[in-house]
Amino acid sequence: MAYGAEMLRWFSEEAVRIGGDQATSVDGNTRIMITKEPVGPCVLVTPWNFPLAMGARKIAPAVAAGCTMVFKPAELTPLTSLALVQIFREAGLPDGVLNVVTTANASSVVGTWMGSGIARKVSFTGSTEVGKILLRQAADNVMRSSMELGGNAPFIVLADADIEKAVDGALKAKMRNMGEACTAANRFFVHRSVAGEFSEKFAKRISELQVGNGALEGTDVGPLIEQKGLDKVQALVADAVAKGARILTGGSRPEGPGYFYIPTVLTDVSQDAELMRTEIFGPVAAITVFDGEDEVLRLANDTEWGLVGYVFTENMDKALRFSAELEVGMVGLNTGIVSNHAAPFGGVKQSGLGREGGKIGIEEFLEIKYTALAI
Ligand SMILES: O=CCCCC(=O)O
């Protein structure tokens, strides 16, 4: 909620800073005037995992830039988005600027918007698979496209890391939103010399998390979103164990109803395990041990995704080397959280196109116009 609210504050402040530029041509005969205009009607499509913040991160810059929009929230979490739209109405946003449509038939509704020829921009947060469909549709009308897609984040603990800091960061990078985040650490690579200490301390902290009803006092983590998510997590753990992984903690679901899964730490995970290549989207940490820095960089970059990478080290040179060589859009150095309304959020490779938040976030909703003025 705070993340979403800060997006609104940030972009309300950025609205008044949409600048332009001017220059004189080399021959001195033309004044070059550069202005910025709203890109035009936008198609916004958001996921269920941060229903308020992901809507706010698109709607706020679009409104600030002066765009109108059609907005389709996730089928699993429509009510948060309806509440957000109501807040905009109460704040005085004119009718017709922000139009929300809830549907169980996303492809038909969004496909109609994409093919309309009216929309000039699409901004999507969700799976790489759906992102590719939208990009193909966007190509037909040459629409501006912002894509926040999947991730397969490496979490690297170097030999000289502060282990307490690394465990703390690992807990956040793995367990924020029960692991149901594109930023979630998916693959843990720990240097052999500290692997025992890190794994033991991390597994202990994970095993102390109280799983249960989020409305009850003392609960740390709740259930997964749906049966499909739970089935996926169970299958990924079974596959990893069949390929030689050892369970340090968790590895099963608790008795009783609900889509709960006990937070899990696996070690000795084979690079062939399915969860090394798939976004887990659940509370499972897969640890592998490495010996050399070149080796771990190669393993970390061996994925089609490139959203975020986490590195823990007390050595500045190594920190900067890893930050430069990881093929990602965002790096967490000695921190397990990169998400911040004031920072440019986004990935490289198949993790997406464009950035959301920060100073650049509003540019995604602006078009540049150049006017030549004879002098
Ligand atoms: O799952 C990805 C949505 C983005 C979450 C974030 O901003 O941290």
Side-chain angles (χ1 to χ4, degrees):
M1 298 299 286
Y3 192 25
E6 289 299 340
M7 296 288 176
L8 301 180
R9 187 206 306 273
W10 177 268
F11 285 108
S12 71
E13 291 165 352
E14 286 301 295
V16 294
R17 297 195 189 106
I18 300 169
D21 204 355
Q22 67 163 326
T24 308
S25 65
V26 177
D27 60 13
N29 294 332
T30 309
R31 173 138 307 139
I32 296 167
M33 297 195 315
I34 297 163
T35 51
K36 292 185 183 171
E37 301 182 341
V39 70
C42 301
V43 172
L44 310 181
V45 182
T46 55
W48 48 261
N49 55 352
F50 296 85
L52 184 97
M54 295 303 97
R57 190 157 75 182
K58 297 183 191 309
I59 296 167
V63 170
C67 298
T68 56
M69 65 215 86
V70 280
F71 167 36
K72 191 209 75 68
E75 191 183 328
L76 291 166
T77 54
L79 300 181
T80 311
S81 307
L82 294 177
L84 176 61
V85 170
Q86 183 58 28
I87 288 167
F88 271 99
R89 294 191 72 179
E90 284 168 21
L93 191 73
D95 283 348
V97 173
L98 168 56
N99 307 279
V100 61
V101 177
T102 58
T103 176
N105 192 351
S107 58
S108 147
V109 169
V110 177
T112 302
W113 294 341
M114 295 294 290
S116 68
I118 298 169
R120 294 306 325 136
K121 153 122 196 150
V122 56
S123 180
F124 170 68
T125 299
S127 72
T128 299
E129 191 191 345
V130 173
K132 287 180 185 175
I133 296 172
L134 291 172
L135 281 171
R136 284 186 203 107
Q137 294 174 344
D140 282 342
N141 286 309
V142 193
M143 291 164 64
R144 284 270 294 276
S145 305
S146 299
M147 297 281 144
E148 299 297 348
L149 308 177
N152 183 6
F155 187 103
I156 301 171
V157 184
L158 296 180
D160 58 25
D162 176 325
I163 298 302
E164 299 304 328
K165 253 193 235 170
V167 167
D168 209 55
L171 207 70
K172 291 181 177 133
K174 182 70 254 181
M175 293 306 301
R176 176 168 174 258
N177 215 37
M178 194 59 171
E180 294 173 303
C182 51
T183 49
N186 215 54
R187 299 168 294 151
F188 288 76
F189 298 108
V190 187
H191 191 269
R192 190 173 301 281
S193 62
V194 289
E197 184 187 355
F198 174 85
S199 306
E200 191 189 311
K201 289 184 170 165
F202 182 37
K204 180 167 182 299
R205 289 281 297 278
I206 286 267
S207 69
E208 286 164 0
L209 294 171
Q210 293 302 313
V211 182
N213 181 344
L216 299 179
E217 193 72 30
T219 299
D220 294 310
V221 286
L224 292 160
I225 183 84
E226 57 178 340
Q227 186 67 47
K228 215 163 55 175
L230 178 60
D231 292 345
K232 179 178 170 187
V233 165
Q234 287 182 298
L236 287 173
V237 171
D239 171 76
V241 170
K243 289 175 179 154
R246 279 188 303 121
I247 299 172
L248 292 185
T249 186
S252 61
R253 55 182 310 273
E255 294 290 317
Y259 310 128
F260 294 97
Y261 194 79
I262 300 175
T264 296
V265 179
L266 304 174
T267 191
D268 299 337
V269 180
S270 153
Q271 296 303 309
D272 298 337
E274 190 52 36
L275 47 61
M276 300 301 275
R277 309 241 141 246
T278 305
E279 214 177 3
I280 302 170
F281 245 61
V284 177
I287 301 178
T288 52
V289 172
F290 72 90
D291 292 296
E293 289 174 12
D294 291 343
E295 173 200 1
V296 76
L297 274 166
R298 184 183 55 73
L299 290 172
N301 288 334
D302 182 21
T303 167
E304 70 264 33
W305 284 302
L307 187 64
V308 55
Y310 304 92
V311 182
F312 281 73
T313 173
E314 294 295 296
N315 178 308
M316 179 66 89
D317 287 342
K318 288 184 201 284
L320 294 179
R321 176 184 179 210
F322 273 74
S323 173
E325 294 196 23
L326 280 175
E327 297 167 359
V328 291
M330 302 178 286
V331 179
L333 279 180
N334 293 326
T335 176
I337 294 198
V338 293
S339 306
N340 189 314
H341 63 277
F345 187 102
V348 299
K349 293 159 82 175
Q350 294 195 27
S351 286
L353 299 171
R355 295 293 180 269
E356 290 191 314
K359 279 192 194 147
I360 209 162
I362 198 164
E363 301 292 337
E364 303 270 334
F365 294 88
L366 291 167
E367 204 59 272
I368 287 176
K369 180 173 276 178
Y370 149 54
T371 303
L373 176 69
I375 42 181

